[in-house]
Amino acid sequence: MKFRTRLIVFYLAAAIVSMVIIGAAAWGSLELYKKKTVESQLTDQSNLIFAYIRQVFLFQKASQTEINPDSAKIIAGNLSSGIGQVELYGKSLQLLCNPVEIEEESSYKPDEYKKVILKPALKGDKVFLTKNRVVYYSVPIINNGKTAGVLVIIYRLNLINEYLKNVLSILFTGAIAFCILIVIISIYISKKMVKPINQLVETTERYAKRDFTVLELNRNDELGKLSKSINSMGSQLYEYIGRQKQFISNISHEIRTPLTAIKGYSEFLYDEIAGDPDTEAALTHLKSEAGRLEKLVSELLELARHDSFQGSFVFVKTNFSNLLKDTIEKMENKAAANKLTIDPRISPDVFINADPEKMVQVVVNILDNAIKYSHRGGIIDAEMFTENNNAVFIVKDFGIGIPKEDMKNIFERFYRASNANGITGTGLGLAISNIIIEKHKGEIRIESNENKGTSVKIVLPLM
């Protein structure tokens, strides 16, 4: 998951968790408010009923201390239901009246109803219970300091629950809108935050490709400090690599001059001292090693020129078909010396924009590798054709191949496969060829299986 996506998910998760906590707290507060409001309203209604009941008791005999059926009828005839269903019970807990006939399906069984609703009120306690969205409120009816009966108000919560349901719907809609807003804001914030990080990543990727362009990041925070550190590191790397390249270039030039002399004198001595097998063998070995060192120095100088951007390319319209045919023909002698056959299949008149000299160097490197790493008596396929507006050149051998673990390093300088011991080479040919092909806006692809062979594919844009 990308860093920017992580930021958006983090912001959204934080917002959702916050809303869940706030929503739970708000819902709890609403439930508490509902309970207190209903209880307050029922208390007010019971107070009004008690005031009326006291008036009824004034007209009764002084000796009468409880509600009787006659008193209940008087109360029932003048009592409104208020916000809930009202029930009056005598001291023996018999129902004396239900002033407003409302069919209520009780949540309690008769015995349970008496136990939890009526008896506590008869003992002087106030009862406030909720079950199945119905509130049961019971209080004792007091006359002259004695309990005269029980008043029960039954209130259904349908209306207030519907109201709270609407409030919850509004809150839920608001939460969704808030989440959408958070996502939009987090996308904007993450874009602003990730932009300098992407610039830092791009800079390090450029450094990996030896492009030490300075990163301009005008910030005073930690990212600004990091960009300054990266720029400082890039400057030091650039200076170090520059000194290294200069050293290689200088030492290569210094070696090349005496090496040329050694090679020339060895050839002269070889011609002068003919007929002595031992001397001829020593001079042949000296000449061969001098030639190998000369090739290494030439390749080092070639790399130094490319690294210092001094390697000049002269691009012209080039007949790639003829260039390949001529180069393959020149390499056939070397292939024959190793008892190998090159099988060319070249499409005619294919033109590319190229530096012919550099392109010959690439083809020679690829064919030379195929010859060196092939088994004697084998065949090397060399094919060129056009595909998707590109010229495609493929060299395939059936030699020792490249181990799988070495494939990722084949374009590294001086790197040689682990199974190439005993075979002469510098490990620079593919590195140089890759640089040249990149300059031609092309691509080299290599596929290989150990002990089965290697296929090198070069793709170049057509004219």
Side-chain angles (χ1 to χ4, degrees), residues 402-408 448 450:
I402 303 171
K404 186 177 180 180
E405 60 272 15
D406 292 328
M407 287 295 294
K408 61 181 181 295
S448 185
E450 191 173 6

Side-chain angles (χ1 to χ4, degrees), residues 200 203-204 207 212-217 219 221-238:
L200 292 171
T203 300
T204 55
Y207 284 5
F212 298 101
T213 306
V214 176
L215 171 63
E216 297 293 340
L217 198 62
R219 299 173 67 100
D221 55 8
E222 289 79 1
L223 290 177
K225 293 179 181 179
L226 180 59
S227 69
K228 291 177 182 178
S229 298
I230 290 177
N231 285 335
S232 176
M233 178 185 69
S235 299
Q236 294 177 33
L237 283 173
Y238 181 75

Side-chain angles (χ1 to χ4, degrees), residues 235-417:
S235 299
Q236 294 177 33
L237 283 173
Y238 181 75
E239 293 175 4
Y240 171 75
I241 292 174
R243 289 195 297 269
Q244 185 186 54
K245 292 173 183 176
Q246 189 62 43
F247 170 77
I248 293 174
S249 179
N250 292 340
I251 199 69
S252 297
H253 279 293
E254 292 297 324
I255 292 174
R256 192 171 196 175
T257 302
L259 188 60
T260 302
I262 291 171
K263 186 178 180 182
Y265 281 120
S266 66
E267 291 175 350
F268 172 75
L269 289 173
Y270 184 84
D271 293 335
E272 290 295 320
I273 307 173
D276 186 344
D278 293 335
T279 306
E280 285 184 0
L283 289 174
T284 299
H285 181 68
L286 177 62
K287 181 180 176 183
S288 174
E289 291 302 308
R292 190 170 69 85
L293 284 174
E294 184 179 36
K295 182 181 179 183
L296 173 60
V297 170
S298 297
E299 289 179 340
L300 285 172
L301 286 172
E302 179 77 19
L303 279 174
R305 282 194 292 269
H306 287 303
D307 288 338
S308 60
F309 303 102
Q310 294 176 357
S312 59
F313 283 77
V314 180
F315 289 94
V316 295
K317 184 177 182 180
T318 303
N319 190 321
F320 195 36
S321 303
N322 292 340
L323 183 147
L324 290 176
K325 289 176 182 178
D326 293 342
T327 307
I328 290 171
E329 186 177 341
K330 293 175 183 177
M331 295 296 293
E332 282 178 345
N333 290 333
K334 186 173 183 178
N338 288 271
K339 300 190 181 303
L340 293 166
T341 302
I342 300 177
D343 181 19
R345 295 188 298 277
I346 309 300
S347 296
D349 297 326
V350 175
F351 290 88
I352 60 173
N353 187 32
D355 182 324
E357 182 180 345
K358 296 291 193 299
M359 195 53 62
V360 167
Q361 184 179 356
V362 171
V363 176
V364 168
N365 280 337
I366 301 303
L367 289 173
D368 186 58
N369 282 344
I371 292 170
K372 285 192 298 186
Y373 299 114
S374 290
H375 302 297
R376 285 178 171 268
I379 297 176
I380 298 171
D381 292 331
E383 181 182 12
M384 192 274 287
F385 55 89
T386 59
E387 182 180 71
N388 297 327
N389 207 31
N390 291 311
V392 181
F393 176 50
I394 299 176
V395 174
K396 185 175 182 180
D397 66 63
F398 302 90
I400 64 173
I402 303 171
K404 186 177 180 180
E405 60 272 15
D406 292 328
M407 287 295 294
K408 61 181 181 295
N409 299 313
I410 53 178
F411 292 114
E412 296 294 328
R413 302 176 184 194
F414 300 105
Y415 187 85
R416 303 194 70 206

